[in-house]
Amino acid sequence: MNASEWWRTAVIYQIYPRSFADSTGDGIGDLNGITSRLDALHELGVDAVWLSPFYTSPQHDAGYDVANYCDVDPLFGTLADFDRLLAAAHARDIRVIVDLVPNHSSNEHEWFKAALASAPGSPERARYIFRDGKGKDGSEPPNNWQSVFGGPMWTRITEADGAPGQWYLHIFDVSQPDFDWCNDEVRAEFRRILRFWLDRGVDGFRVDVAHGLIKAPGLPDYTPPPVAAGSMGDGVAACPPYWGQDGVHEIYRDWRVLADEYPGARIFCAEAWVDPLSFAAKWVRPDEMHQAFNFAYLSTPWEAGALRVVIDESIAAFSGVSAPATWVLSNHDVVRHATRLSLTGKNLQGDGIGPRSPGIPRYEDGLRRARAATLLMLALPGSVYLFQGEELGLPEDVELPDAARQDPTWFRTHGERYGRDGCRVPLPWESEGPSYGFGPTAASWLPQPRLWAQLARDQQTGRDDSTLTLYQRALRIRRARNLGGGELTWVRGCGRSAVAFTNGTLTVLANTGGAPISLLPLLSGSHVLITSSPTVGSTVPPDTTVWLAKR
Ligand code: GLC
């Protein structure tokens, strides 16, 4: 493998800037906070970080509503702070990927303000998706599409003369109008934005909603199958006219040519909630993006049979287009896997959980399973994304008071869906500090649970049994043995509840069942390198993963 293709095996750590580290004490994390904590990420052993949006934004969707793509929101700092962060990360051999949000802007973007101030049919309107309404007086939305965050996907505007006007499309919140990607001005503007960040030295982009940019011609009505309601990935089988349209691919081919002009392999990672995996693989054909989050894997329950199938399908689908599989278990949109994998109540992606949700596991049980799931994931060939705080074993915060919630999903569904705040609670760094070391004051944009005191990084550093130490060791072994660049071969005969395979010199066994599994068949000539929870003699207890190596 070409050594410059760092992304094929990289472990990439997602930083959610508003919740990572706060340098000013206003309760919102910022770029200088990140810079001040980079050593912790270096010690963890990650190859790169992905920063969720820190651009100028009214923050109606935590920065995924961008008003200026080429500047830093004062909440997070300045461009000079960004340059310092980038240099400090590079000095530690940590690459930096930024978030690109091309599907929609903020309604406070200059272009959208100009569109509102201009007439129907004007070039200013043509950068977004404005349509006349249906029915008498155009008072009904142009079609029946429902926003991912709940409610209609269209909002009617008032024209400059005060009359009820056209409607604009927003797949997400009303504050996030969708661009019209059939418009050349939009395409040119995003080439400029890409160059702006590439010229500054970023190593790549995570591309937000990479399956949504092109809508089916004519914007036909669509009724999703009931099971997909509220989901972001209702899948290709259902063919929603706003997801996964073929036209998105020429956009990424164009971007790839542009990024390839730059030295050092600058990459794109697609956030494309589509299935099946063979369809997702289209985003990473050799002339398109480099990585696509493996959401099929993220969505797989902790069940050996299902895991074996999704791992096989992933490797087949992505290697079929010469791309790495890009494993992920948690991010800022899903219930943290220390809770999710043990939930017994039904929970659709994006719905979130809270005090009234059924089937929430005990923390210890959820953590045990999450550690096993992580150790399984980190043994797989390909690239891996981690979400900040998972290395501390943070669970979803299920006790957030309703009054503290900020996710637009919560508001747009009038509290029917909790939304994603529970995975976004600011990190604990020091058990004794105000805001558990998140910042210099007690301020925290979401309240932190008391459990954070015991999970704070300083409590886990150097402790043999901590989740932080487990991640550090696993990442060290993963790198030393080049597991990311390895090849998976199944080991049969360990039982239905086992996920067992070799990757190079390593043998891995994960027990997803309720009964112990004997290690004896695998032990001859091997020894245990690392386990997610203590093994008992030569058996692997339930919810445990073991890595073995030849003596
Ligand atoms: C992506 C982001 C999510 C955001 C949405 C709209 O799915 O990950 O946080 O709300 O896009 O930009």
Side-chain angles (χ1 to χ4, degrees):
M1 188 180 52
N2 181 343
S4 71
E5 294 190 320
W6 61 274
W7 42 275
R8 288 188 176 274
T9 59
V11 175
I12 303 176
Y13 180 97
Q14 179 187 359
I15 294 180
Y16 196 64
R18 57 168 47 231
S19 302
F20 187 73
D22 172 17
S23 73
T24 61
D26 66 353
I28 299 183
D30 46 50
L31 298 182
N32 288 339
I34 298 170
T35 307
S36 73
R37 295 290 192 181
L38 281 175
D39 283 335
L41 300 185
H42 184 63
E43 282 156 25
L44 179 60
V46 302
D47 301 297
V49 292
W50 146 37
L51 304 176
S52 280
F54 49 80
Y55 317 111
T56 316
S57 161
Q59 305 290 325
H60 293 306
D61 184 21
Y64 282 94
D65 48 324
V66 182
N68 182 349
Y69 288 84
C70 296
D71 207 350
V72 174
D73 195 285
L75 265 184
F76 299 116
T78 63
L79 275 173
D81 294 337
F82 177 80
D83 291 340
R84 268 194 300 276
L85 161 55
L86 188 63
H90 284 169
R92 290 166 177 79
D93 281 331
I94 297 176
R95 290 183 161 88
V96 177
I97 293 173
V98 295
D99 216 310
L100 186 74
V101 189
N103 180 68
H104 46 266
S105 70
S106 155
N107 59 347
E108 292 187 20
H109 191 284
E110 284 308 315
W111 277 11
F112 193 71
K113 290 198 257 179
L116 292 184
S118 305
S122 60
E124 287 81 2
R125 289 247 168 127
R127 296 160 176 160
Y128 293 92
I129 303 181
F130 280 88
R131 294 287 184 278
D132 293 332
K134 289 210 290 212
K136 210 158 64 95
D137 310 328
S139 59
E140 288 164 34
N143 69 24
N144 71 347
W145 297 358
Q146 294 294 300
S147 153
V148 167
F149 292 160
M153 222 189 252
W154 295 91
T155 292
R156 191 172 199 187
I157 64 160
T158 304
E159 300 293 351
D161 64 2
Q166 288 194 300
W167 297 71
Y168 68 90
L169 180 82
H170 50 91
I171 289 189
F172 296 92
D173 189 48
V174 55
S175 62
Q176 295 166 297
D178 280 45
F179 284 116
D180 186 345
W181 272 90
C182 299
N183 182 303
D184 283 339
E185 259 191 283
V186 172
R187 294 191 184 220
E189 176 63 1
F190 272 87
R191 282 186 210 110
R192 185 184 77 84
I193 294 164
L194 287 173
R195 286 195 188 283
F196 178 87
W197 293 103
L198 289 167
D199 288 340
R200 281 203 119 73
V202 304
D203 299 285
F205 302 88
R206 174 263 188 190
V207 180
D208 192 63
V209 199
H211 55 319
L213 276 50
I214 298 287
K215 282 75 181 172
L219 312 180
D221 275 351
Y222 172 72
T223 306
V227 65
S231 148
M232 298 174 71
D234 20 16
V236 67
C239 256
Y242 40 87
W243 291 150
Q245 302 297 307
D246 212 36
V248 296
H249 297 291
E250 74 177 44
I251 300 170
Y252 306 135
R253 287 192 197 102
D254 179 51
W255 291 2
R256 179 65 181 257
V257 172
L258 186 157
D260 281 351
E261 284 174 25
Y262 287 79
R266 316 291 178 100
I267 71 155
F268 296 102
C269 177
E271 188 220 18
W273 286 89
V274 295
D275 49 39
L277 278 157
S278 54
F279 188 59
K282 286 191 165 193
W283 273 253
V284 286
R285 288 175 289 192
D287 58 349
E288 295 195 37
M289 301 210 195
H290 303 74
Q291 304 177 321
F293 292 113
N294 189 339
F295 291 128
Y297 184 71
L298 181 149
S299 311
T300 301
W302 179 243
E303 199 270 294
L307 285 165
R308 285 193 300 262
V309 169
V310 75
I311 291 169
D312 262 342
E313 286 181 359
S314 302
I315 293 174
F318 291 115
S319 63
V321 288
S322 306
T326 300
W327 313 99
V328 58
L329 283 171
S330 280
N331 66 30
H332 67 293
D333 290 328
V334 303
V335 174
R336 282 184 176 275
H337 71 279
T339 305
R340 189 187 71 242
L341 292 174
S342 304
L343 274 180
T344 52
K346 195 164 175 289
N347 188 258
L348 286 174
Q349 195 276 312
D351 281 10
I353 52 177
R356 295 179 293 282
S357 303
I360 293 172
R362 282 194 332 147
Y363 171 64
E364 296 72 23
D365 298 340
L367 177 66
R368 180 187 177 90
R369 186 169 284 184
R371 288 167 54 113
T374 297
L375 210 52
L376 169 59
M377 173 174 75
L378 290 178
L380 295 170
S383 174
V384 169
Y385 277 78
L386 305 175
F387 177 47
Q388 67 177 36
E390 66 169 88
E391 77 280 18
L392 304 176
L394 298 192
E396 186 82 355
D397 182 359
V398 293
E399 275 152 26
L400 270 183
D402 290 354
R405 294 197 177 275
Q406 310 220 5
D407 187 346
T409 308
W410 168 257
F411 297 104
R412 287 182 63 84
T413 63
H414 308 288
E416 198 182 300
R417 289 158 56 192
Y418 283 108
R420 303 158 295 174
D421 293 314
C423 66
R424 299 175 173 181
V425 175
L427 293 190
W429 294 86
E430 293 141 20
S431 61
E432 300 286 318
S435 61
Y436 303 113
F438 167 61
T441 68
S444 168
W445 71 278
L446 287 172
Q448 299 162 297
R450 267 203 295 274
L451 180 66
W452 267 209
Q454 116 197 20
L455 299 181
R457 192 168 306 247
D458 66 346
Q459 295 300 297
Q460 302 202 31
T461 304
R463 252 189 45 204
D464 207 49
D465 61 348
S466 75
T467 301
L468 181 62
T469 301
L470 180 77
Y471 271 74
Q472 277 168 341
R473 283 195 189 137
L475 291 183
R476 213 173 301 134
I477 300 171
R478 184 183 159 85
R479 181 180 296 202
R481 294 182 182 250
N482 187 27
L483 301 183
E487 215 170 283
L488 176 144
T489 308
W490 293 114
V491 174
R492 314 270 166 201
C494 297
R496 290 226 320 256
S497 306
V499 182
F501 59 87
T502 61
N503 179 354
T505 54
L506 199 80
T507 303
V508 178
L509 190 148
N511 180 0
T512 69
I517 296 178
S518 169
L519 257 189
L520 283 179
L522 304 180
L523 265 181
S524 75
S526 294
H527 67 290
V528 173
L529 263 187
I530 185 170
T531 72
S532 64
S533 48
T535 47
V536 183
S538 55
T539 58
V540 182
D543 288 347
T544 300
T545 299
V546 180
W547 291 5
L548 304 160
K550 292 256 170 296
R551 272 183 223 283

